[in-house]
């Protein structure tokens, strides 16, 4: 490896962006017509809700927890948005705020009772799913007009979904990676004892991170229903695993507070594109999920190789 | 020295218990402004507990605490300690490895917020590093996890001396030089001197007695959670310090008569060298021998046991272990008991391979083994089918001994197994160990308690991952063990 610029550390941080670029180039090669305003919009507009859900998952991973309920939570939010929010906006808004509150309380519960987050959120995933079915027994409902209008916004030159992804990534990057409070939040993932010894309340940190996750989960549900215009109790169940994969693909780690918001957004986009890429290859949909897994394994294997190269130095 | 009438911190009759153990038993301590207080003591003397009390991370069960004459008993915690300018460099690592050096400085200073905080934090920690460790080679933007252990320690120490809104009054340094080389350690000690000369106070804990003698104004010696000596540093010498730390001519109840067989007689069952050993000194264990591993906690004894455990049954390599091995864990909650299982199942888990019939566990044999060992080492329970957690700590430990002794292992490795066990149970277990050794089993026993070494035929003292003393039973004396544990690089 050449000294200087291409150190393993630089390579590792570039890996998410490189994987996305490789995938984009492959898609444009297979289907040159995708290389247009319209084509990119079609390819990437579903990446916005996935990116938001991935960031929600990232907040939880930052404090060494895991959220197995994010998929059914996003579905539930979508159901609220397609029913209450358009029919009785006040009730809808209150319900969404209540959802965020429940997330914050989950954080407090997990911290105070020292419970494994996997168990708590796995249980919650069934609660959210049950609530969604109660609210919307059959697929349907209508997204509020303003939400549809927002998600279908025609921005000049660059499609809305790309701008939204960039803005979301940058905002979270500034908040979590650059701000003084973000440093404390991430520190709580790296060495909780040290952060507590410096006088910070771990309870408050945990509640903050879970509330943020709830907030981004709500945004993800809204964005999703704005695109699909109607909802269904199972609409986002696969987001749970996609969001975890997105964070890891973007350079985050399961423990230790090592996360990257921009990486997570890129990871979410990569996973969204992977589906389209496989369609362009004329791969049967039956194989697509497996092929997505293969892409994930490939990128993670590359990261392992880079890490090993680093350890050898 | 400043007027001792207004100490920076004053402790009166502070006491703290961990379960049945009195870690700190009525300590009075005062640190004057401009004073560097040295604190020494052997394992479990209560140094670290006392530091945690001062840092506000442990609330004492009893006793009064005052800062600058203001009594804060009962409402003293980490936040108050910070606000009073009391900082602590803990022995265990307390930086966040995922953050940069500057971000770690921010964690300690709530005042570092708003626009430009990053640059300010970087400047703060950079200046502290420059002052204490000139030529340190650490950038504020470095991620702590990427730094070497020594550099992390430097960052942690420098961070304790950074000032934003509260002046630093007292810095507690718990083994600050443990991972620094001599040159950097010298820089630190010189800085501590100049810090106290300019009116700050420091408490220095170190197992390097030369550092304490050369840096501290006054030395407090702790033993068994109590202060046993307080004198100006000038009145101590290395030898008088070591003497103060040890107990005075303790009786050895039930000590074992000298091993009858000479060491040369039989072939060795274990021959091993610690990974960091350079002078060829070996750990040798013969059949029927009880070998003690001594020295300060965390100086390579547990690593040695794990090395032996890993080498068991393997041929070749530098480590020879001839025979089956069983390990008695010290941290029984984490590494020992299976908390959801019954007492009987906890005892028989290591022996299951011998108790199968047609590939299935034979319940009768399992029952027989468990009851046999219950009777032999007297585990006090009405029913072996009760959950292991229904036992007291001492009896849980006995069950773990039963597990190891009940297995076919000819070598037992013991990782300080008597931690937090009451004295009666200890005596019983010592008896069992002696009886089993007489039958030809070998024991390798890491212990932090001086009294337990009296039961060993041979003692190896560890320091910095190496064997530094090899004492046969006849030469064993507490003073020698202390001397070797606290010795410094040859002058």
């Amino acid at each position: 490896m050449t000294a200087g610029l291409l150190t393993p550390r630089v390579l590792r941080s570039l890996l998410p962006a490189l994987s996305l670029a490789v995938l984009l180039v492959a898609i444009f090669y297979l289907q040159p017509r995708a290389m247009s305003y319209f084509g990119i919009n079609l390819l990437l507009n579903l990446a916005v809700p996935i990116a938001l859900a991935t960031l929600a998952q990232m907040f939880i991973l930052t404090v060494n927890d895991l959220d197995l309920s994010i998929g059914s939570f996003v579905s539930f939010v979508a159901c609220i948005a397609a029913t209450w929010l358009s029919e009785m906006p006040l009730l809808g808004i209150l319900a969404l705020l209540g959802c965020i509150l429940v997330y914050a309380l989950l954080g407090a519960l997990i911290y105070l009772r020292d419970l494994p987050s996997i168990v708590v959120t796995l249980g919650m995933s069934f609660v959210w799913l049950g609530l969604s079915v109660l609210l919307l027994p059959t697929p349907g409902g209508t997204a509020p007009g303003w939400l549809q209008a927002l998600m279908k916004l025609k921005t000049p030159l660059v499609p809305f979904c790309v701008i939204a992804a960039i803005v979301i990534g940058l905002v979270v990057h500034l908040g979590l990676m650059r701000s003084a409070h973000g440093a404390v939040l991430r520190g709580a993932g790296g060495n909780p004892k040290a952060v507590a010894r410096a006088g910070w309340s771990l309870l408050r940190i945990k509640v903050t991170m879970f509330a943020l996750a709830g907030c981004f989960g709500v945004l993800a549900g809204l964005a999703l229903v704005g695109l699909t215009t109607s909802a269904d109790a199972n609409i986002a169940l696969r987001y749970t695993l996609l969001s975890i994969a997105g964070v890891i693909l973007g350079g985050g780690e399961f423990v230790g507070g090592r996360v990257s918001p921009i990486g997570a957004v890129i990871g979410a986009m990569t996973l969204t594109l992977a589906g389209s890429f496989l369609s362009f290859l004329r791969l049967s949909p039956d194989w697509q999920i497996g092929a997505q897994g293969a892409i994930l394994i490939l990128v993670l294997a590359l990261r392992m190789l880079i890490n090993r190269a680093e350890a050898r130095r | 020295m400043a007027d001792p009438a207004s100490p920076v911190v004053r402790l009166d009759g502070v006491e703290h218990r961990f379960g049945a153990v009195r870690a700190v038993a009525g300590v009075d301590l005062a640190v004057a402004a401009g004073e560097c207080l040295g604190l020494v003591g052997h394992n479990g003397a209560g140094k670290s507990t006392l530091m945690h009390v001062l840092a506000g991370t442990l609330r004492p069960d009893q006793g009064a605490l005052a800062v600058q004459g203001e009594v804060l008993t009962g409402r003293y915690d980490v936040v108050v300690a910070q606000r009073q300018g009391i900082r602590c460099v803990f022995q265990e690592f307390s930086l966040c490895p995922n953050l940069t050096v500057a971000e770690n400085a921010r964690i300690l200073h709530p005042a570092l917020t708003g626009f430009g905080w990053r640059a300010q934090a970087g400047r703060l920690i950079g200046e502290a590093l420059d002052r204490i460790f000139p030529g340190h080679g650490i950038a504020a933007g470095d991620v702590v996890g990427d730094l070497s252990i020594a550099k992390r320690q430097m960052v942690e120490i420098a961070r304790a001396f950074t000032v934003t809104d509260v002046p630093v009054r007292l810095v507690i340094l718990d083994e600050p030089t443990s991972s620094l080389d001599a040159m950097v350690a010298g820089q630190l000690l010189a800085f501590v001197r100049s810090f106290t000369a300019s009116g700050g106070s420091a408490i220095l804990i170190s197992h390097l007695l030369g550092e304490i003698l050369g840096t501290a104004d006054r030395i407090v010696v702790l033993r068994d959670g109590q202060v046993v000596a307080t004198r100006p540093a000038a009145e101590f010498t290395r030898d008088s310090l070591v003497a103060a730390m040890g107990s005075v001519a303790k009786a050895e109840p039930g000590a074992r008569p000298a091993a009858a067989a000479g060491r040369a007689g039989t072939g060795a069952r274990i021959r091993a060298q610690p990974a960091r050993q350079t002078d060829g000194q070996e750990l040798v264990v013969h059949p029927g021998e009880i070998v003690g591993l001594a020295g300060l906690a965390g100086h390579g004894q547990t690593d040695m046991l794990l090395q032996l455990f890993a080498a068991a049954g393997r041929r070749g390599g530098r480590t020879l272990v001839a025979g089956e091995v069983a390990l008695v864990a010290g941290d029984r909650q984490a590494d020992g008991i299976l908390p959801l299982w019954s007492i009987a199942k906890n005892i028989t888990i290591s022996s299951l391979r011998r108790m199968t019939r047609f590939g299935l566990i034979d319940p009768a044999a399992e029952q027989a083994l468990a009851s046999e060992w219950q009777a032999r080492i007297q585990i006090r329970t009405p029913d072996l089918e009760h959950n292991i957690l229904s036992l007291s700590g001492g009896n849980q430990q006995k069950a773990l001994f039963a597990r190891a002794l009940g297995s076919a292992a000819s070598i037992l490795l013991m990782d300080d197994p008597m931690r937090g066990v009451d004295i009666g149970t200890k005596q019983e277990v010592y008896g069992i160990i002696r009886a089993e050794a007489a039958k030809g089993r070998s024991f390798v026993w890491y212990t932090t308690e001086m009294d337990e070494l009296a039961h060993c035929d041979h003692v190896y003292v560890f320091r910095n991952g190496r064997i530094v003393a090899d004492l046969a039973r006849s030469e064993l004396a507490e003073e020698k063990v202390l001397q070797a544990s606290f010795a410094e690089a040859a002058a």
Side-chain angles (χ1 to χ4, degrees):
Chain A
M1 223 167 285
T2 50
L5 280 178
L6 282 181
T7 62
R9 205 172 142 194
V10 173
L11 266 182
R12 194 174 47 190
S13 55
L14 282 181
L15 191 61
L18 280 177
S19 346
L20 180 66
V22 167
L23 208 54
L24 267 178
V25 168
I27 286 176
F28 291 156
Y29 175 77
L30 287 170
Q31 186 52 269
R33 267 176 295 174
M35 209 180 345
S36 63
Y37 184 97
F38 185 67
I40 291 176
N41 199 20
L42 267 187
L43 281 175
L44 281 175
N45 65 26
L46 270 177
V48 175
I50 296 181
L52 286 164
T54 305
L55 288 171
Q57 186 70 259
M58 188 198 70
F59 288 124
I60 307 271
L61 278 170
T62 306
V63 284
N64 301 339
D65 284 319
L66 196 63
D67 185 0
L68 293 184
S69 65
I70 192 74
S72 49
F73 179 69
V74 172
S75 306
F76 179 55
V77 170
C79 289
I80 291 180
T83 54
W84 291 350
L85 196 59
S86 42
E87 295 152 18
M88 299 167 274
L90 191 64
L91 180 65
I93 289 169
L94 281 178
L96 293 179
L97 290 178
C99 286
I100 298 175
L101 184 69
V102 169
Y103 252 81
L105 290 177
L106 284 179
L109 179 75
I110 286 169
Y111 175 73
L112 291 174
R113 308 298 306 167
D114 198 14
L115 297 171
S117 57
I118 294 184
V119 175
V120 175
T121 56
L122 186 64
M124 282 311 290
S125 74
F126 295 105
V127 173
W128 298 126
L129 186 61
L131 291 175
S132 318
V133 174
L134 285 176
L135 193 59
L136 201 65
T138 50
T142 320
W146 56 268
L147 203 52
Q148 296 191 32
L150 176 69
M151 291 312 290
K152 299 208 166 89
L153 201 65
K154 279 243 178 337
T155 44
L157 295 173
V158 185
F160 173 73
C161 54
V162 176
I163 295 176
I166 292 173
V167 168
I168 293 164
L170 282 180
V171 165
V172 178
H173 180 79
L174 284 179
L176 191 64
M177 308 304 283
R178 303 293 300 176
S179 82
H181 277 94
V184 177
L185 295 175
R186 281 181 293 127
N191 191 343
K193 222 178 187 180
V195 171
R197 274 181 189 163
W200 301 96
S201 156
L202 287 179
L203 173 66
R204 198 176 294 169
I205 291 174
K206 209 74 151 192
V207 168
T208 308
M209 287 316 243
F210 272 77
L212 277 171
C215 206
F216 274 75
V218 166
L219 293 178
L222 293 178
L224 179 61
V225 88
L227 288 167
T228 57
T229 70
S230 69
D232 151 17
N234 298 315
I235 189 167
L237 289 190
R238 65 195 186 99
Y239 279 22
T240 301
L241 293 182
L242 272 182
S243 65
I244 298 172
V247 176
I248 303 303
L249 206 55
E253 280 168 31
F254 279 109
V255 285
R258 286 172 214 270
V259 292
S260 156
I262 291 179
V265 171
I266 292 177
M269 292 169 90
T270 309
L271 285 171
T272 320
L273 282 181
S276 319
F277 171 66
L278 297 166
S279 313
F280 285 131
L281 280 179
R282 302 228 165 74
L283 212 62
S284 132
D286 298 339
W287 291 95
Q288 283 195 10
I289 292 180
Q292 260 179 349
I295 292 180
L296 192 61
I297 292 173
L298 190 75
V299 175
L300 293 186
L302 271 176
R303 190 158 99 198
M304 280 297 289
L305 283 178
I306 293 173
N307 282 350
R308 255 190 230 168
E310 189 173 38
R312 226 177 295 136
R313 285 153 79 94
Chain B
M1 223 179 282
D3 179 14
S6 63
V8 177
V9 179
R10 179 179 198 92
L11 297 178
D12 280 307
V14 164
E15 195 169 313
H16 191 84
R17 285 169 180 280
F18 291 107
V21 182
R22 281 212 304 185
V24 173
V27 167
D28 303 329
L29 192 75
V31 186
E35 183 183 35
C36 177
L37 184 74
L39 197 59
V40 295
H42 199 239
N43 292 322
K47 292 170 294 182
S48 289
T49 310
L50 203 56
M51 292 310 93
H52 280 285
V53 168
L54 280 173
T57 44
L58 271 184
R59 185 160 286 182
D61 300 333
Q62 263 177 48
L65 187 150
V67 178
Q68 299 275 303
E70 188 189 348
V71 178
L72 294 169
T73 316
R75 51 203 171 87
Y76 190 72
D77 62 15
V78 194
V79 178
V80 178
Q82 294 279 346
R83 220 174 292 141
Q84 295 289 346
I86 295 172
R87 305 280 178 76
C88 196
V89 177
F90 291 101
Q91 201 173 352
E92 66 266 51
F93 187 52
S94 49
L95 297 175
C96 299
N98 58 330
L99 302 186
T100 65
V101 171
E103 286 169 342
N104 268 292
R106 145 74 183 146
I107 299 278
L108 195 65
H109 293 287
L112 283 176
T113 60
F115 196 72
W117 69 273
R118 192 175 292 267
Q120 206 187 334
R123 216 174 315 119
L124 204 60
I125 188 82
E127 279 167 10
L129 278 167
D130 289 341
R131 241 180 327 144
I132 307 172
F133 306 107
H136 49 80
I138 301 167
D142 288 348
V143 176
V144 167
D146 295 342
L147 297 176
S148 68
I149 303 281
K151 285 188 173 171
R152 292 186 204 182
Q153 181 115 32
M154 287 153 76
V155 170
E156 192 156 356
I157 292 167
R159 186 176 75 155
F161 287 97
T162 52
V163 181
T164 47
D165 44 358
V166 188
V168 180
R169 286 209 184 109
L170 170 69
V171 177
I172 302 160
L173 298 154
D174 193 356
E175 297 285 357
T177 57
S178 55
S179 40
L180 302 181
D181 64 42
M183 206 264 291
V184 180
Q187 290 180 334
L188 169 65
L189 296 175
F191 178 78
V192 170
R193 293 295 327 157
S194 75
F195 175 68
T196 51
S198 62
S201 310
I203 296 181
L204 180 64
I205 304 175
S206 175
H207 68 277
L208 300 172
L209 298 183
E211 286 183 4
I212 298 271
L213 288 165
T215 312
D217 299 309
R218 191 159 60 97
I219 297 178
V220 170
V221 182
L222 282 178
R223 194 202 312 143
D224 300 330
Q226 285 172 322
V227 175
V228 292
T230 310
R231 259 177 278 163
E235 294 178 23
F236 275 111
T237 62
R238 260 191 65 84
D239 293 330
S240 66
L241 256 188
V242 168
M245 274 189 284
S247 35
V248 195
K250 225 177 209 171
E252 293 177 1
R256 180 180 153 79
R263 293 206 104 197
T266 45
R269 212 174 242 167
I270 295 180
R271 271 183 193 283
Q273 259 186 37
R276 287 167 70 184
Q277 198 79 31
T278 43
D279 58 1
Q281 171 72 52
E282 277 189 320
L283 174 91
V284 182
V285 182
H286 293 270
E289 230 176 15
I290 304 174
V291 167
L293 308 184
L296 292 163
H299 275 243
Q301 299 95 333
T302 302
D303 295 335
M304 185 78 239
L305 291 179
L306 294 178
Q307 184 185 335
L308 294 177
F309 192 76
R314 230 191 299 138
R315 285 179 175 280
R318 282 213 306 173
T319 308
L320 165 99
V321 179
E324 262 188 68
V325 165
L327 179 77
V328 183
D331 185 353
R332 59 177 171 270
Q333 302 306 336
D335 308 328
I337 59 167
L338 303 159
L340 298 178
W341 287 15
S342 70
I343 303 164
K345 287 212 160 64
N346 263 288
I347 293 177
T348 54
I349 175 83
S350 289
S351 313
L352 289 180
R353 215 167 294 154
R354 288 188 291 131
M355 299 188 305
T356 53
R357 225 173 28 168
F358 313 123
L360 299 174
I361 297 170
D362 177 0
E366 196 181 7
Q367 189 65 46
L369 182 85
S371 350
E372 182 200 335
W373 281 98
Q374 183 199 9
R376 279 177 69 179
I377 69 173
Q378 289 161 17
I379 299 172
R380 288 179 192 87
T381 174
D383 188 348
L384 282 174
E385 292 308 313
H386 284 179
N387 184 283
I388 181 94
L389 295 180
S390 66
L391 296 176
S392 69
N395 276 299
Q396 287 180 20
Q397 196 64 46
K398 275 190 184 176
L400 292 185
F401 266 102
R403 178 195 294 173
L405 294 169
S407 72
S410 57
I411 301 168
L412 266 78
L413 309 175
M414 304 193 286
D415 184 6
D416 202 11
M418 298 301 187
R419 241 179 276 164
V421 173
D422 64 278
I423 184 75
T425 308
K426 277 183 184 174
Q427 294 300 340
E428 287 174 45
V429 175
Y430 298 154
I432 298 163
I433 292 174
R434 284 201 298 271
E436 289 293 320
K439 288 186 204 156
R441 276 188 161 162
S442 304
F443 290 82
V444 182
W445 187 356
Y446 164 41
T447 172
T448 50
E449 284 178 40
M450 208 54 89
D451 300 347
E452 294 186 342
L453 294 177
H455 298 278
C456 299
D457 299 309
H458 212 87
V459 172
Y460 293 93
V461 183
F462 279 69
R463 180 159 43 81
N464 292 331
R466 296 188 187 88
I467 298 173
V468 289
D470 170 5
L471 305 169
R473 175 174 182 71
S474 53
E475 317 165 300
L476 182 67
E478 182 170 2
E479 188 147 315
K480 279 192 185 160
V481 176
L482 282 174
Q483 283 280 7
S485 312
F486 285 90
E488 270 147 79

